Amino acid sequence: MPRPKAIEYSEASDAVKAVYDEIKSARKLDDVNNFWKYLANDEKTLRRTWDSVREVMAPGALDPLVKEMIYVAVSVTNNCGYCIASHSAAAAKAGMTREQFQELIAVVGMANETNRLVNGYRVPIDPAFER
Amino acid sequence: MPRPKAIEYSEASDAVKAVYDEIKSARKLDDVNNFWKYLANDEKTLRRTWDSVREVMAPGALDPLVKEMIYVAVSVTNNCGYCIASHSAAAAKAGMTREQFQELIAVVGMANETNRLVNGYRVPIDPAFER
Amino acid sequence: MPRPKAIEYSEASDAVKAVYDEIKSARKLDDVNNFWKYLANDEKTLRRTWDSVREVMAPGALDPLVKEMIYVAVSVTNNCGYCIASHSAAAAKAGMTREQFQELIAVVGMANETNRLVNGYRVPIDPAFER
Amino acid sequence: MPRPKAIEYSEASDAVKAVYDEIKSARKLDDVNNFWKYLANDEKTLRRTWDSVREVMAPGALDPLVKEMIYVAVSVTNNCGYCIASHSAAAAKAGMTREQFQELIAVVGMANETNRLVNGYRVPIDPAFER
Amino acid sequence: MPRPKAIEYSEASDAVKAVYDEIKSARKLDDVNNFWKYLANDEKTLRRTWDSVREVMAPGALDPLVKEMIYVAVSVTNNCGYCIASHSAAAAKAGMTREQFQELIAVVGMANETNRLVNGYRVPIDPAFER
Amino acid sequence: MPRPKAIEYSEASDAVKAVYDEIKSARKLDDVNNFWKYLANDEKTLRRTWDSVREVMAPGALDPLVKEMIYVAVSVTNNCGYCIASHSAAAAKAGMTREQFQELIAVVGMANETNRLVNGYRVPIDPAFER
């Protein structure tokens, strides 16, 4: 089994092309990102992931910018370089300002620190938080 | 060295009492949470952490509710039980609705999934994200 | 202390050469991978790690392909780029098909998602699982 | 917003009941696990997650037992207590023997160790793995 | 396969008893900790892990206290509750003072924070660090 | 919002220059590392982080070399490439020998392994560790 490669539109199956078309249309892009081109190696996972991402990231009780910033927060915590780059770009496209980015990263840093202070001191949950 | 214990206000040093008073005043609470009571075992870290948290979580380009939700996103990713409980409570106090909580957790779940799809397929960063 | 470098066979000590020979013989390779060449900076850890890996990855109740896929699952979760590359290659050599790889990555993604849904909703363990 | 609670069948909406019925039928259970009862707080995420899990965990190129063991491997790496308990039980139900469980955990432990040896020695990827 | 249980000395096989005896003798304990009693379900992993831990944790270029504190640092970062408790106790037994514990946890917290600041800002490695 | 860039001394604000000067003076360097140059995009976080790092990493109950090794342990566990490179260099500058580095990485590897053995076997905390 060789290493997976990007599948370009011109060489894609009809099922993959259909997902690419939906992504390009929904996001107003000329081409899909590498994430989708690699996921296209597995048509079922491409379709399921796109349907799930579209549902989860749609405007709802949280607006799309907040959702993209949450995505960045998770990706920074997990150190997923691709995900940090792509979702920082998506957040910027959704209107994130430089100041919002800076505060986002500052909160992520602080949360990762205090998570470990809690672990180290083995802090028991306050009864008030259990209700 | 025995296991660290909570330090209650009545038994705290003046330096610790001063931090507790600032927290109670800033957050309109009668008592501080266990996090602070355990951190009080190390007066310097208590003072530094409170000063940092106060600066980072203050209203700015992002409002306090968004900041608390980012804190929850990190804590859920790291599986810090205390932090999930305390920051979910803080987010609720800052106005988070049930629908916002649900969407927050759904985004965190999805981001943790796609972070690993990216890793597994070794997706290279699109040149457009590097600019 | 300069950055560790790869130790090639020709410059290796007898103790390191002995481990390299065992690896090449067991895995039918002309040369060992970079992992072993870097680990060779610490002869004791090289020897201990090779002995442990050989024991753990040997055919047993689980066959070597399943073991390599479990290795990939952990490495993808931890985002260890080298480990994903080397154990994907090892799994392919052990017979992993493209379809098996795709299903493996899909399960890893899903598990990372539902792990966080569990954390976010603070799901208590069902009594039936404790038995 | 109070802490999420389990939603039992008798108090569930028709949409939630439909998912519960599908789970009970597919898995031959009298009742669904806490995971689903808590996820039911968010009907859309319940439906999407069940549909995704059902697709991903179905027999395919990998059999269900291997898939459950991969799930355990991820959950152990992430230290998700609920997930370790529930997927260990699911793997046992799918036929995992005591010896298979032991080998699974041994591989997960070893992979988490060598992932960090790789990080610490900053091992570069062998060109052969890039092809 | 039921959930693993602790294996007490009186019910242990000769191979397990031999490991228990070595641990009790090396650590001057009347009984081994739960970690070993659960690992004893897998005799091979019990033996291999004890041999490895004994070699890795032996006094060497780093003294045992420093090694125990490094163990705590990893366990706090991974949020392994058992490991935090057992290695904090081991570090205390090796002479860790309250002040050393506090500084240890403070460094672990700070490192977890700056690790994420680095990720968020996508900081490239300084050429000087590559040499 | 374009991708953050390094801010060089010559183009920095007075507030940023002041931090750079403090770092160069405290660490006897001609120039600050990329970490600080990128963090300088957010003056408040630059100032807060430098003040915190200076306080946490100062000689105290633990000497600076031990603190740098703990930093490396966390960074290796989190797989932060930049942090591993920069703190390995800082530890070497603080006097870490090749043998100390090797033992450090060996302990980090072992701790990451046994953390997962504990998770997999769901080992309950010994009552003695709770006191």
Side-chain angles (χ1 to χ4, degrees):
Chain A
M1 199 207 87
R3 180 175 171 181
K5 287 197 171 42
I7 294 181
E8 298 296 336
Y9 191 90
S10 59
E11 55 186 335
S13 70
D14 285 352
V16 168
K17 271 184 180 146
V19 176
Y20 283 10
D21 285 336
E22 288 175 30
I23 297 171
K24 292 196 287 182
S25 163
R27 303 206 163 164
K28 298 178 181 40
L29 292 167
D30 291 330
D31 194 9
V32 301
N33 296 331
N34 278 341
F35 175 62
W36 304 110
K37 291 182 184 174
Y38 276 73
L39 219 52
N41 287 281
D42 179 358
E43 286 188 14
K44 272 205 315 197
T45 295
L46 175 71
R47 165 53 68 193
R48 184 183 68 252
T49 305
W50 165 241
D51 286 349
S52 294
V53 165
R54 183 167 45 182
E55 180 174 303
V56 168
M57 299 303 280
L62 298 178
D63 65 72
L65 173 54
V66 168
K67 290 186 172 183
E68 285 295 348
M69 289 194 298
I70 292 166
Y71 230 105
V72 172
V74 170
S75 303
V76 166
T77 298
N78 286 332
N79 192 16
C80 175
Y82 181 88
C83 316
I84 295 166
S86 64
H87 287 281
S88 292
K93 199 171 156 187
M96 181 175 66
T97 65
R98 187 181 294 273
E99 287 71 29
Q100 288 176 319
F101 172 77
Q102 292 166 1
E103 295 191 9
L104 163 62
I105 301 302
V107 175
V108 171
M110 188 58 47
N112 273 288
E113 178 175 18
T114 59
N115 278 200
R116 271 58 179 217
L117 296 177
V118 162
N119 294 347
Y121 281 96
R122 293 188 261 163
V123 183
I125 297 185
D126 299 77
F129 298 150
E130 300 281 25
R131 272 166 232 144
Chain B
M1 200 209 85
R3 179 174 171 180
K5 286 195 172 44
I7 294 181
E8 299 295 336
Y9 191 90
S10 60
E11 55 185 337
S13 70
D14 286 351
V16 166
K17 271 184 179 145
V19 175
Y20 284 10
D21 285 337
E22 289 174 31
I23 297 171
K24 293 196 288 184
S25 164
R27 304 205 163 164
K28 299 180 179 41
L29 294 166
D30 290 331
D31 195 9
V32 302
N33 297 332
N34 278 342
F35 175 63
W36 304 110
K37 291 182 184 175
Y38 276 73
L39 219 49
N41 286 282
D42 178 357
E43 287 189 13
K44 270 203 318 197
T45 294
L46 175 71
R47 166 52 68 191
R48 185 184 66 253
T49 304
W50 165 239
D51 285 348
S52 294
V53 165
R54 181 169 47 182
E55 181 175 301
V56 167
M57 300 303 281
L62 298 178
D63 66 72
L65 172 55
V66 169
K67 290 186 173 183
E68 285 295 348
M69 289 195 297
I70 293 166
Y71 230 104
V72 172
V74 170
S75 303
V76 166
T77 299
N78 287 330
N79 192 16
C80 175
Y82 182 88
C83 316
I84 295 166
S86 63
H87 288 281
S88 292
K93 200 171 154 187
M96 182 175 65
T97 64
R98 187 181 295 273
E99 287 72 26
Q100 288 175 320
F101 173 76
Q102 292 166 1
E103 296 191 10
L104 163 62
I105 301 303
V107 174
V108 170
M110 187 58 47
N112 272 288
E113 177 175 19
T114 59
N115 278 201
R116 270 59 178 217
L117 296 178
V118 162
N119 294 347
Y121 281 97
R122 294 188 261 164
V123 184
I125 298 185
D126 299 76
F129 298 151
E130 298 282 25
R131 274 165 230 146
Chain C
M1 202 208 85
R3 180 175 171 180
K5 287 196 172 40
I7 293 181
E8 299 295 338
Y9 191 90
S10 59
E11 55 185 335
S13 70
D14 286 351
V16 167
K17 271 184 180 145
V19 176
Y20 284 10
D21 285 336
E22 289 175 32
I23 297 171
K24 290 195 289 183
S25 164
R27 303 205 165 163
K28 300 179 181 40
L29 292 167
D30 291 330
D31 194 10
V32 302
N33 297 332
N34 279 340
F35 175 62
W36 304 110
K37 292 182 184 174
Y38 276 73
L39 219 50
N41 286 281
D42 179 357
E43 287 188 13
K44 274 205 313 196
T45 294
L46 176 70
R47 165 54 66 192
R48 186 183 66 252
T49 304
W50 166 240
D51 286 347
S52 294
V53 165
R54 183 169 42 181
E55 179 175 304
V56 168
M57 300 304 280
L62 298 178
D63 66 72
L65 172 54
V66 168
K67 289 186 172 182
E68 284 295 347
M69 290 195 296
I70 292 166
Y71 230 105
V72 172
V74 170
S75 303
V76 165
T77 298
N78 286 331
N79 192 15
C80 175
Y82 181 89
C83 317
I84 295 165
S86 63
H87 288 281
S88 293
K93 201 171 153 186
M96 181 175 66
T97 64
R98 189 182 293 274
E99 288 69 29
Q100 288 175 318
F101 173 76
Q102 292 166 2
E103 295 191 11
L104 163 62
I105 301 302
V107 174
V108 171
M110 187 58 48
N112 272 288
E113 178 174 18
T114 59
N115 278 199
R116 272 59 180 217
L117 296 177
V118 161
N119 294 348
Y121 281 96
R122 293 188 260 164
V123 183
I125 297 185
D126 300 74
F129 298 149
E130 300 282 23
R131 272 168 234 144
Chain D
M1 200 208 86
R3 180 174 170 181
K5 284 193 174 45
I7 294 181
E8 299 295 337
Y9 191 90
S10 60
E11 56 186 335
S13 70
D14 287 350
V16 167
K17 271 183 179 145
V19 176
Y20 284 10
D21 285 336
E22 289 174 30
I23 297 171
K24 292 196 287 183
S25 164
R27 304 204 165 166
K28 299 179 180 39
L29 293 167
D30 290 331
D31 195 9
V32 302
N33 297 332
N34 279 341
F35 175 63
W36 304 110
K37 290 182 185 174
Y38 276 73
L39 218 53
N41 286 281
D42 178 357
E43 287 188 13
K44 272 204 315 198
T45 294
L46 175 71
R47 165 53 66 191
R48 186 184 64 252
T49 304
W50 166 241
D51 286 347
S52 293
V53 165
R54 180 168 46 180
E55 179 176 303
V56 168
M57 301 303 279
L62 299 178
D63 66 73
L65 172 55
V66 169
K67 289 185 172 184
E68 285 295 348
M69 289 195 296
I70 293 167
Y71 230 105
V72 172
V74 170
S75 303
V76 166
T77 299
N78 286 331
N79 192 15
C80 175
Y82 182 88
C83 316
I84 295 166
S86 63
H87 288 280
S88 292
K93 200 172 156 186
M96 181 175 65
T97 65
R98 188 182 294 273
E99 288 70 28
Q100 288 175 318
F101 173 76
Q102 291 166 2
E103 295 191 10
L104 163 62
I105 300 303
V107 175
V108 170
M110 188 57 47
N112 272 287
E113 178 175 19
T114 59
N115 279 199
R116 272 57 178 217
L117 296 178
V118 162
N119 294 348
Y121 281 96
R122 292 188 262 163
V123 184
I125 297 185
D126 298 76
F129 298 150
E130 299 283 23
R131 273 166 233 148
Chain E
M1 200 208 85
R3 180 176 170 179
K5 285 195 174 43
I7 294 180
E8 299 296 336
Y9 191 91
S10 59
E11 56 185 335
S13 70
D14 286 350
V16 167
K17 271 184 179 144
V19 176
Y20 284 10
D21 285 336
E22 289 175 30
I23 297 171
K24 291 195 288 183
S25 164
R27 304 206 163 163
K28 300 179 180 40
L29 292 166
D30 291 330
D31 194 8
V32 302
N33 297 332
N34 278 341
F35 174 63
W36 305 110
K37 292 182 183 173
Y38 276 74
L39 219 50
N41 286 281
D42 178 357
E43 287 188 14
K44 273 204 315 197
T45 293
L46 175 71
R47 166 52 68 191
R48 186 184 65 251
T49 303
W50 166 240
D51 286 347
S52 294
V53 164
R54 183 168 44 181
E55 178 175 304
V56 168
M57 300 303 280
L62 299 177
D63 66 72
L65 172 54
V66 169
K67 290 186 172 183
E68 285 295 348
M69 290 195 297
I70 292 166
Y71 230 106
V72 172
V74 170
S75 303
V76 166
T77 298
N78 286 332
N79 192 16
C80 175
Y82 182 87
C83 317
I84 296 166
S86 64
H87 288 280
S88 292
K93 201 172 154 186
M96 182 174 66
T97 65
R98 187 181 294 275
E99 287 70 29
Q100 288 176 319
F101 173 76
Q102 292 165 2
E103 295 191 10
L104 163 62
I105 301 302
V107 175
V108 171
M110 187 59 46
N112 272 288
E113 177 175 19
T114 59
N115 277 199
R116 272 57 179 217
L117 296 178
V118 162
N119 293 348
Y121 281 97
R122 292 188 260 164
V123 183
I125 297 186
D126 299 75
F129 297 150
E130 298 283 23
R131 272 167 232 146
Chain F
M1 201 208 85
R3 181 175 170 180
K5 286 195 173 44
I7 294 180
E8 300 296 336
Y9 191 91
S10 59
E11 57 186 334
S13 71
D14 286 351
V16 167
K17 272 184 179 146
V19 176
Y20 283 10
D21 285 336
E22 289 175 31
I23 297 171
K24 292 195 288 183
S25 164
R27 304 204 164 166
K28 299 180 181 39
L29 293 166
D30 291 331
D31 195 8
V32 302
N33 297 332
N34 279 340
F35 175 63
W36 304 110
K37 291 182 183 174
Y38 276 74
L39 219 51
N41 286 283
D42 178 357
E43 287 188 14
K44 274 204 314 196
T45 294
L46 175 70
R47 165 52 69 191
R48 184 183 67 252
T49 303
W50 165 240
D51 286 348
S52 294
V53 165
R54 183 168 44 181
E55 181 174 303
V56 168
M57 300 302 280
L62 299 177
D63 65 72
L65 173 55
V66 170
K67 290 186 171 182
E68 285 295 347
M69 290 194 296
I70 293 166
Y71 230 106
V72 172
V74 171
S75 303
V76 166
T77 298
N78 286 331
N79 192 15
C80 175
Y82 181 88
C83 316
I84 295 166
S86 63
H87 288 280
S88 292
K93 200 171 154 187
M96 181 175 66
T97 65
R98 187 181 294 272
E99 288 70 29
Q100 289 176 318
F101 172 77
Q102 292 165 1
E103 295 191 10
L104 163 63
I105 301 302
V107 175
V108 170
M110 188 58 46
N112 273 288
E113 178 174 18
T114 58
N115 278 198
R116 272 58 180 217
L117 296 178
V118 162
N119 294 347
Y121 281 96
R122 293 189 262 163
V123 183
I125 297 185
D126 298 77
F129 298 150
E130 300 281 24
R131 274 166 230 145

